[in-house]
Amino acid sequence: MNASPDRPPAVILAGGRSSRMGSDKAAVLLGGRPLLSRIIERLLPQVAGVGVNSNIIARLDFAPGIAVFADTVPGHAGPMAGVLSAMRHAAACFPAASHVVTVPTDTPFVPRDLVERFQRALTEPAQIAVASSAGIMHPVFALWPISLADELEHWLLTDEKRRVRSFIESHRMAVVDFPLIDAAAGSIDPFFNINTPADLEMAERWLPFIEDMER
């Protein structure tokens, strides 16, 4: 498969251990559908293809055409290990692509214009575009130059803290601010993430408002 310049590939990062949820977040049901399924549905129209980085999932029964692959570095090295795997996957499967988009698996309200806005923000090829909302950066919602893969692998193997922000902020970056979603239920952050059963209950309450707004 080849990515056209205006449609990079995307990878959903599902490599975490879901310890606070108590079960694999990717398979948690929101509105009767797996959380991961909802994110795939929101991303697919925006990109050349979607893959899933997971150290738990072997395949997606509800989406058999979606590639699933584990971290390329051992030891549960954190979200940046998933970003590296996304870069390696994109380089192998989308040779025309210069960038790859990453989003986490626990964020069901991913903006439907995420990729378009990322690309508009880039002013140079080596730049990283990263999302923010309400003044808060969301560093694994990003558009990454695939050319950074070797550098990122070295950083993962040598940096003890492996802080996502520290890697991003050591490079040229464009911070893209997304507005909160105004709904009858109140302001909803489009990057709201589900870490606990209580978060899932909140997302269930918000879901009808989001779906009504997008119809």
Side-chain angles (χ1 to χ4, degrees):
M1 292 179 286
N2 292 314
S4 63
D6 60 331
R7 288 171 63 86
V11 172
I12 301 169
L13 304 179
R17 301 182 183 184
S18 304
S19 56
R20 283 185 284 173
M21 179 60 70
S23 61
D24 180 17
K25 285 191 285 188
V28 165
L29 297 182
L30 174 62
R33 291 175 55 194
L35 190 55
L36 186 55
S37 173
R38 290 187 172 278
I39 299 171
I40 290 171
E41 183 271 330
R42 296 179 82 86
L43 277 179
L44 272 176
Q46 304 185 50
V47 296
V50 175
V52 175
N53 164 245
S54 176
N55 299 306
I56 301 172
I57 304 168
R59 65 178 186 177
L60 301 180
D61 292 334
F62 58 82
I66 301 293
V68 181
F69 49 91
D71 290 346
T72 58
V73 295
H76 291 279
M80 291 303 285
V83 173
L84 174 61
S85 296
M87 292 177 179
R88 298 299 191 200
H89 172 77
C93 298
F94 300 86
S98 61
H99 289 70
V100 61
V101 177
T102 60
V103 305
T105 189
D106 55 4
T107 50
F109 309 131
V110 177
R112 294 188 184 273
D113 60 350
L114 179 77
V115 178
E116 177 187 356
R117 293 197 58 195
F118 275 166
Q119 291 181 298
R120 287 206 311 263
L122 294 183
T123 59
E124 51 190 286
Q127 204 169 26
I128 301 168
V130 60
S132 74
S133 61
I136 299 172
M137 183 188 292
H138 306 288
V140 290
F141 283 92
L143 179 65
W144 308 87
I146 296 170
S147 60
L148 293 180
D150 289 344
E151 178 187 342
L152 176 54
E153 181 168 0
H154 176 75
W155 179 84
L156 282 166
L157 295 174
T158 58
D159 190 287
E160 293 182 359
K161 295 181 179 178
R162 295 171 176 163
R163 291 177 178 164
V164 180
R165 286 185 67 125
S166 68
F167 183 84
I168 292 176
E169 291 172 353
S170 68
H171 296 80
R172 293 183 293 275
M173 66 174 182
V175 178
V176 184
D177 186 62
F178 289 80
L180 299 181
I181 302 166
D182 291 325
S187 294
I188 302 171
D189 193 325
F191 303 106
F192 172 78
N193 62 308
I194 297 173
N195 285 316
T196 67
D199 293 336
L200 181 60
E201 290 179 10
M202 185 173 293
E204 288 281 6
R205 291 196 298 270
W206 283 343
L207 182 62
F209 297 101
I210 298 291
E211 291 180 335
D212 285 345
M213 291 178 64
E214 293 182 341
R215 284 195 180 100

